[in-house]
Amino acid sequence: MVPWLVVGAEWPPRGAALLKTDLMGVFAHPDDEVGMAATVARYALGEGKGVAHVYATRGEGGGNMVGTHWGPALGVLREAELRDCLRLLGVRYTYFLDQTDFFYTESLEATLRVWDREEALRRLVRLVRALRPEIIATMNPAPRAGQHGHHQAAGVLATEAFAAAADPGRFPEQLADEGLGIWQARRLVYGGVQGRDVVHVGVTDPLPDGRIPADVAGEALSHHRSQGFGGFAGAPWLRRPQAFTLVKNAVAHPSAAFDLFAGLPAFGPLAWADPGPAPGRPLVAFVPRPSIVRYREWAREQGLEHLGAEFPADLPVVAGEGNLVEVEVAPEVPDVVLTGLKWEGPEGWGWSGLQRGGEPGRWRMEVVPPEGALGSAAVRLRGAMAGKSIEAEARLHAVPRARVPRVPEGAMTLGPGAHWEGGALLEIGPDRVWQGQVADAADHSARVRVAHGGETLWVEVLVRDDVVVSNIAPDDIRGHWRSDSVEICVDPAAGAGDTTGTLKVGIFPFDTSGRVRAARDADARQGPVEWTAPGLRLASARMPDGYRVAAAIPLALITDGGPVPGRLGFNVLVYDGDKRDAAPGENINKSRLAWAPRAGVQGRPEDWGRIDLE
């Protein structure tokens, strides 16, 4: 079948007919199409659908596993890899919104502060109006743990463009000056499952040439070699049906549960499928972290309130101390009902009971996780009012804390043979994994000591590692996650929503010449510490069962010269590779541990631990 050939249409197509598209994918970076690549191959190569992909960035902020290209040069390489990939998938057109891929963050807000949100939306709306897709498929904008802020932003832009392209009041100059018309895409889908209507697309029926869409996808994705996808060809997991959440639908059709294009193309007046009643306001609800509050507000503005309501409340709480947690209460709930609510939580967790808060409709309580609590726990408030049950649920994520003693500035040393006795002792066992798998403590674990001298934060990390790998060249000091390394993260705000105000230092214990090296990563000043972290001192040494890294960090560097708060957000992340024959610069990441572990924690200071400077 010839792609995008319509029976009876002029051939070859020209003008607007040349651009007509069936499916438009909207992503943040090259390689983000991995979750729907097999679906694209099915429709483009198997059913002749016209497919276009739009990428917000060229991926210049990512890592590089095949060479020394970084920054804009890496964007050039990743675009070339992407075009090789999409050619095999049958994608007809590829466009970029020319936004900056700056670093890994979990924050939508930080992303949109760096990107030119309005201009990016303008460009995307132009593409929707020019290409007139039947379906827009994009990434889920929900702020789940581990969801890149750039991915969230791609989903936000695609959702807003879905409506804006059909609105003559949005970007009217495109209509008046560029010869475009408004266009209403028929369906909007998010990759993955979140919502009421989910489409499961099979990707194992043979294509006309006998190949399997999933196998085509594996071969195509293997072109993203700089991102470590070289081994994707033949991956069995690509044969699983791919799930999409049907977010907006102008053409209700019973078989849409298995076919994104069921009932399409649609002509004439559109009949929007009823998404069902918007969820009513609960009588009592936990107030989640700010990023979730903002997501729910945005979902409501987009007519997707049910998606926001289905996203659970999630809050970080510090173990071993009282944490203020707010509850939103409907006006009709009397005080006597609230004071009678029952708390349900893990054994050992305490709470103080509800009391009126500072804002109308807000009540407060104090939640106390036990000392040593770690990770997420489900909690509930239950009660009844006039025969109606009241229930509020949340996930509270406990993070560790430690008291860091003050020592004389000259008491700690970094050099070979140094042995620290003072300081807070933090254990990072193999159970604190947040990515990958760890066999036992000998395979991967660490012990951390932290102290301060009033002007300096001293951090020593003793890493147990049965295979220490040093495959990073002296001129390649970046992307510490590629090899054995330690990352020290300090947040002067002790719970910031993003990493732009933090200090994050990735430390290679040894480069290929045997020297300890480090670079700041994913904070406001990135690059080798020699020029991004004046005054920071490092040392390393091999140990019988692994290696030692020690750092002396000026507190003024953490606070950018401002006053040092008594409490800091703090985390230590330890990366392990174990590949003895690793090529220079190769990404050998096998597992990641952390004092405060959680998916995506490197980009979310809210979920780091807390240290109190004595």
Side-chain angles (χ1 to χ4, degrees):
M1 180 182 294
V2 179
W4 63 87
L5 174 61
V6 179
V7 176
E10 180 183 34
W11 189 261
R14 60 182 181 178
L18 178 66
L19 296 176
K20 181 66 178 81
T21 297
D22 297 300
L23 174 64
M24 174 186 283
V26 180
F27 310 96
H29 320 98
D31 79 27
D32 284 346
E33 72 283 351
V34 62
M36 54 185 78
T39 296
V40 169
R42 166 185 161 167
Y43 286 121
L45 302 176
E47 300 185 20
K49 304 294 187 185
V51 180
H53 280 192
V54 181
Y55 295 84
T57 78
R58 287 176 169 79
E60 66 273 14
N64 184 1
M65 306 173 197
V66 295
T68 58
H69 293 78
W70 292 96
L74 176 60
V76 174
L77 172 62
R78 293 189 68 180
E79 180 179 345
E81 292 178 334
L82 175 68
R83 293 186 184 277
D84 285 344
C85 167
L86 298 187
R87 184 184 68 254
L88 295 184
L89 292 178
V91 175
R92 186 180 182 194
Y93 292 131
T94 306
Y95 301 95
F96 296 90
L97 301 181
D98 297 325
Q99 301 304 301
T100 302
D101 180 19
F102 50 96
F103 54 68
Y104 182 87
T105 178
E106 292 269 311
S107 172
L108 169 66
E109 290 71 32
T111 301
L112 295 179
R113 284 200 304 268
V114 174
W115 290 6
D116 187 336
R117 177 177 185 166
E118 188 69 4
E119 181 57 26
L121 182 60
R122 181 191 311 275
R123 296 180 184 190
L124 183 55
V125 167
R126 176 183 290 116
L127 291 171
V128 173
R129 287 171 171 171
L131 300 176
R132 295 168 294 147
E134 300 294 308
I135 298 172
I136 295 177
T138 190
M139 315 187 81
N140 193 326
R144 289 193 174 101
Q147 175 73 311
H148 200 315
H150 299 182
H151 297 173
Q152 296 172 46
V156 163
L157 290 172
T159 302
E160 294 180 357
F162 183 87
D167 182 353
R170 297 303 308 273
F171 311 114
E173 73 282 358
Q174 296 177 357
L175 310 178
D177 302 336
E178 300 182 24
L180 294 174
I182 61 171
W183 177 255
Q184 179 61 74
R186 279 43 174 161
R187 287 192 176 123
L188 173 68
V189 299
Y190 294 164
V193 177
Q194 187 200 340
R196 301 167 180 165
D197 300 310
V198 178
V199 182
H200 294 277
V201 179
V203 292
T204 56
D205 289 340
L207 299 170
D209 62 6
R211 295 182 297 165
I212 302 299
D215 296 343
V216 173
E219 181 183 354
L221 293 168
S222 68
H223 282 285
H224 292 295
R225 293 182 179 87
S226 71
Q227 306 308 298
F229 288 17
F232 271 33
W237 60 268
L238 285 169
R239 294 194 169 210
R240 302 170 189 161
Q242 295 191 321
F244 299 84
T245 297
L246 191 57
V247 179
K248 292 192 175 183
N249 183 19
V251 185
H253 198 281
S255 63
F258 304 101
D259 181 7
L260 290 178
F261 284 92
L264 298 177
F267 304 98
L270 300 179
W272 291 95
D274 184 3
R281 178 184 176 183
L283 295 174
V284 178
F286 285 95
V287 177
R289 66 178 74 204
S291 61
I292 297 176
V293 172
R294 289 188 289 265
Y295 169 70
R296 289 177 173 176
E297 291 172 349
W298 173 84
R300 183 166 52 251
E301 292 168 357
Q302 301 301 314
L304 303 174
E305 190 169 2
H306 63 285
L307 293 184
E310 292 169 7
F311 197 78
D314 181 292
L315 283 167
V317 288
V318 181
E321 67 182 40
N323 297 263
L324 186 66
V325 174
E326 288 194 306
V327 174
E328 197 166 30
V329 179
E332 62 266 31
V333 180
D335 293 1
V336 67
V337 170
L338 292 171
T339 56
L341 291 179
K342 302 297 184 183
W343 160 271
E344 295 180 7
E347 184 177 355
W349 287 53
W351 76 299
S352 64
L354 287 170
Q355 298 180 345
R356 285 194 177 276
E359 295 183 32
R362 292 283 178 94
W363 285 57
R364 295 174 176 173
M365 65 180 180
E366 190 176 72
V367 176
V368 186
E371 196 74 51
L374 187 70
S376 295
V379 299
R380 292 180 181 85
L381 289 174
R382 291 184 189 271
M385 185 182 76
K388 297 173 65 175
S389 63
I390 295 177
E391 182 173 312
E393 298 184 356
R395 294 198 69 80
L396 303 185
H397 185 77
V399 301
R401 68 167 182 168
R403 295 191 179 278
V404 174
R406 182 164 183 159
V407 298
E409 277 290 343
M412 314 297 268
T413 60
L414 297 180
H419 180 67
W420 292 9
E421 293 292 346
L425 179 62
L426 316 179
E427 296 284 355
I428 304 178
D431 58 321
R432 298 201 177 202
V433 63
W434 57 279
Q435 185 174 310
Q437 295 182 337
V438 179
D440 51 34
D443 173 30
H444 193 198
S445 59
R447 173 171 287 184
V448 181
R449 286 194 183 273
V450 189
H452 80 99
E455 297 180 0
T456 307
L457 186 69
W458 300 86
V459 183
E460 177 191 58
V461 187
L462 299 175
V463 179
R464 291 188 68 185
D465 185 356
D466 53 358
V467 180
V468 179
V469 180
S470 304
N471 66 317
I472 304 299
D475 62 350
D476 188 22
I477 306 306
R478 53 176 67 84
H480 58 276
W481 58 85
R482 294 176 293 159
S483 188
D484 290 350
S485 65
V486 169
E487 183 175 10
I488 299 173
C489 309
V490 191
D491 171 25
D498 63 73
T499 62
T500 53
T502 69
L503 175 78
K504 295 178 76 255
V505 179
I507 306 167
F508 297 109
F510 317 101
D511 64 14
T512 53
S513 72
R515 293 177 55 209
V516 60
R517 301 294 302 282
R520 292 180 66 165
D521 173 76
D523 60 20
R525 193 177 182 194
Q526 302 175 80
V529 295
E530 289 82 0
W531 57 272
T532 62
L536 186 148
R537 292 177 289 138
L538 298 168
S540 69
R542 290 191 180 271
M543 308 291 285
D545 58 354
Y547 61 90
R548 171 185 183 266
V549 164
I553 306 172
L555 286 169
L557 190 64
I558 296 168
T559 62
D560 199 22
V564 179
R567 167 162 285 192
L568 300 169
F570 184 78
N571 213 351
V572 173
L573 317 179
V574 190
Y575 300 79
D576 187 30
D578 283 359
K579 187 175 181 181
R580 298 179 187 275
D581 59 348
E586 180 184 357
N587 187 333
I588 59 169
N589 177 55
K590 177 181 73 73
S591 62
R592 302 178 179 185
L593 301 176
W595 180 50
R598 196 179 190 188
V601 72
Q602 78 272 37
R604 195 173 52 259
E606 291 167 297
D607 287 335
W608 297 354
R610 308 289 191 265
I611 57 174
D612 296 313
L613 306 184
E614 296 181 342

